[in-house]
Every structure is written in C-alpha cells, then in structure tokens.
C-alpha cells in the first residue's frame, strides 16, 4: 500500500473573510443535487416531494425550504430543480432517491460547484456591480433564485435572507469567481 | 437589450446566444416528393426583413431554454417572447 493518505479539500479551501460588516465565506457542509422529472411524471414527483419533505415544487425563480432547513429546493427553470441539503452521506443522492421512491432522478452535483455565502448590511452594493439581475427586494425577494452569470462565469444566486445571499459557481473556476466577488467587496465595503 | 423571458422575467441579452431565423423550427418533411428542394430552401434561403423579425434565442447562461423572440431589426424593440417549445407545439411539431 502507498504510504500516504488523501484528505478532502473544498474548492476555496474554506475561505472566510470579513469586509467591514460584510462576511464572505465558503459553505462546505452542503450537498448539491439536480432533480429531473421522468417523462410524464410531473404529478408523481410533486406528490413524492410533498410526502417526503412536506414541500411544494418551486416555480421557476423561486425556492422552497423545509422548516428544519434540511432540504432546500431551488426552481431554476421549467422542470429544473436543484436540491441543497446537508452533506451527511458519502453518496448524497442515495437518501434522496430513497425518499422519492423512484419518482424523480436525483444526481449528485456537489463536486462541480463551489458555494459562497455572503451576509451583512449593504452587500447589494457589491453584488449589483457583478450580477446583471435586479437584486432589489421588490424584484428579488427572500427565497428568489436565478441561474445567471457574473463576470462571464455561470452562477446561481439565491437570496437566503434580507441581507444574505448564496452564490454557486463552477468549482473549476472557483478562484476566479471568488476574486470577482472579493474585488467588488473591496471597492464597496464601508 | 433586455429579453423578457416568459418564465424567468427580464434578462440581459448577454445571457443568450442568438441562433437566427425562427423558421428553423419548420423543418421540412423528409419524405415529401420535393424534399430536396424544400431542404435546400430550409437550409440556405432566409428572409432578411427590415422591421419585425422572429428569431431563435438560446438562454445558455440561464435555464438553457430556447425562445422565439419577435424583434424589430430597425429599432431592436422586442415585442414578443415565447418558449420555442410552445411555438413548436402550437404548430403541431411536438407532443
């Protein structure tokens, strides 16, 4: 046997930094899964999601979250759902498949995404410089989600609170994405 | 330019890739007697209107949907945005 061991590491190595009142940190304890609908199985999947987690299927642009925070469904488009849940299983798709009992196709996407959480008052001043969407609470309220791009990189943005956003970007270019967010925060943080 | 996506709301045109004339949806019947002529016209002949034009746009940096955008080529005014799926279904081309 080789005389070394492998240790898991996250795309941004657990980045965590304060910019004035705003905190930017990497989230490393969440699993990300895509959920696809079998052909003609919309009603069955909706029922399975309801009985498994007590959740509605989110409309495109909206998300729904279980009260215990253990499952978060993101509606990214027509028949396109992403699931965020605590990464507490070696194969995160296994318990989801079990819970849905074959009514949906769950695929683990955790390793291809880097997840950032940005919190604090005034953070919109930093995000509005790199995100093409209108992030005013009237246009993008708590629970709103969108797949878009920032600094030419594909990204998913979710408003998790009044002054809190989750950003997802490709793990392969996570460093460039972090640099874009950091630069914007450096320019705008009080 | 802003494209008002029917499902996702207003999105910047930079999120999209334009494919061209929406007539590409109307692929000819390959079993028709004059299929060769029809495919020649389908592949090579395009109207180039100065004014209202229907185009296929692909929401690549978004939900990957195909849209039919009705746009004025003189003013860039976008007057209508539909899901290409719905347009194709209305034309009896998809289940």
């Amino acid at each position: 046997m080789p005389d070394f061991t492998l240790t898991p590491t996250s795309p941004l190595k657990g980045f965590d930094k304060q910019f004035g009142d705003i905190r930017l940190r990497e989230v490393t304890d969440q699993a990300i899964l895509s959920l696809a609908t079998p052909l003609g199985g919309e009603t069955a999947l909706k029922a399975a999601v309801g009985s498994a987690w007590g959740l509605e299927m989110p409309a495109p642009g909206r998300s729904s979250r279980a009260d215990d925070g253990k499952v978060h469904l993101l509606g990214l488009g027509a028949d396109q759902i992403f699931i965020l849940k605590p990464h507490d299983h070696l194969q995160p798709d296994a318990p989801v498949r079990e819970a849905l009992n074959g009514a949906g196709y769950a695929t683990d996407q955790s390793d291809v995404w880097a997840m950032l959480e940005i919190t604090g008052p005034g953070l919109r001043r930093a995000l509005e410089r790199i995100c093409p969407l209108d992030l005013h609470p009237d246009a993008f309220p708590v629970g709103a989600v969108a797949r878009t791009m920032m600094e030419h990189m594909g990204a998913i943005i979710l408003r998790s609170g009044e002054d809190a956003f989750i950003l997802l970007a490709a793990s392969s270019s996570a460093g460039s994405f972090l640099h874009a967010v950091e630069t914007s925060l450096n320019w705008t943080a009080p | 330019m802003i494209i008002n996506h029917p499902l996702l709301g207003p999105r910047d045109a930079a999120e999209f890739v334009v494919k061209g004339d929406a007539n590409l949806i109307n692929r000819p019947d390959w079993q028709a007697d004059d299929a060769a002529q029809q495919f020649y016209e389908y592949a090579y002949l395009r109207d180039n209107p100065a004014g209202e034009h229907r185009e296929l746009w692909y929401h690549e940096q978004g939900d990957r949907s195909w849209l039919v955008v009705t746009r004025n080529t003189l003013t860039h005014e976008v007057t209508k945005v539909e899901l290409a799926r719905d347009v194709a279904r209305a034309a009896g081309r998809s289940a």
Side-chain angles (χ1 to χ4, degrees):
Chain A
M1 287 289 286
D3 193 20
F4 54 80
T5 53
L6 300 174
T7 45
T9 182
S10 61
L12 297 169
K13 300 181 176 58
F15 182 91
D16 190 346
K17 194 171 166 185
Q18 200 78 25
F19 299 77
D21 293 334
I22 298 168
R23 181 184 182 199
L24 178 66
R25 72 178 183 96
E26 185 188 14
V27 180
T28 54
D29 61 351
Q30 293 284 303
I32 303 155
L33 300 104
S34 61
L35 180 61
T37 315
L39 186 62
E42 287 85 0
T43 315
L45 180 57
K46 194 174 175 213
V49 164
S51 63
W53 304 308
L55 287 177
E56 293 279 322
M57 288 291 270
R62 300 292 310 163
S63 62
S64 51
R65 182 175 196 162
D67 290 336
D68 59 9
K70 289 204 173 142
V71 179
H72 202 151
L73 303 179
L74 316 182
L76 299 175
D79 306 326
Q80 288 179 47
I81 305 286
F82 263 27
I83 304 174
L84 304 183
K85 63 193 293 291
H87 203 309
D88 52 8
H89 198 283
L90 196 60
Q91 289 176 298
D93 49 330
V96 173
R97 280 174 207 214
E98 203 171 304
L100 295 177
N101 200 17
Y105 304 129
T107 312
D108 183 22
Q109 313 279 356
S110 308
D111 289 348
V112 299
W113 292 93
M115 192 187 295
L116 285 167
E117 183 189 52
I118 178 167
T119 51
L123 63 84
R124 189 150 57 91
R125 296 179 62 233
L127 286 183
E128 71 191 4
R129 282 163 170 75
I130 53 173
C131 178
L133 299 175
D134 183 357
L135 298 178
H136 189 278
D138 291 347
F140 204 82
V142 175
V145 64
R147 192 163 191 168
T148 181
M149 59 181 201
M150 300 185 200
E151 298 283 301
H152 307 281
M153 288 170 276
I156 293 173
I157 179 166
L158 163 72
R159 187 175 214 135
S160 48
E162 282 300 330
D163 283 317
F165 285 83
I166 298 282
L167 306 176
L168 293 169
S171 63
S172 54
S173 52
S176 302
F177 186 79
L178 175 64
H179 181 252
V181 180
E182 250 193 300
T183 305
S184 196
L185 279 166
N186 277 326
W187 280 114
T188 56
Chain B
M1 198 160 75
I2 300 285
I3 292 176
N4 199 8
H5 192 292
L7 294 175
L8 307 174
R11 294 298 189 98
D12 194 293
E15 292 183 8
F16 295 82
V17 177
V18 64
K19 173 74 178 174
D21 196 325
N23 197 40
L24 284 170
I25 291 175
N26 303 316
R27 192 178 173 81
D29 176 7
W30 63 276
Q31 290 179 308
D33 291 338
D34 59 343
Q37 179 64 25
Q38 283 195 44
F39 269 98
Y40 162 73
E41 291 176 12
Y42 171 80
Y44 295 115
L45 302 185
R46 298 275 184 282
D47 291 336
N48 186 21
E52 195 170 90
H53 190 34
R54 294 172 83 230
E55 293 170 329
L56 278 172
W57 287 69
Y58 177 53
H59 196 193
E60 184 172 32
Q61 296 285 10
D63 72 341
R64 273 74 169 165
S65 57
W66 283 93
L67 304 179
V68 173
V69 175
T70 307
R71 183 175 71 89
N72 189 313
T73 56
L74 297 175
T75 62
H76 294 314
E77 185 192 5
V78 174
T79 48
K80 195 172 181 186
V81 184
E82 306 153 275
L83 290 173
R85 182 183 68 182
D86 295 345
V87 173
R89 280 179 181 167
R93 299 200 62 91
S94 168

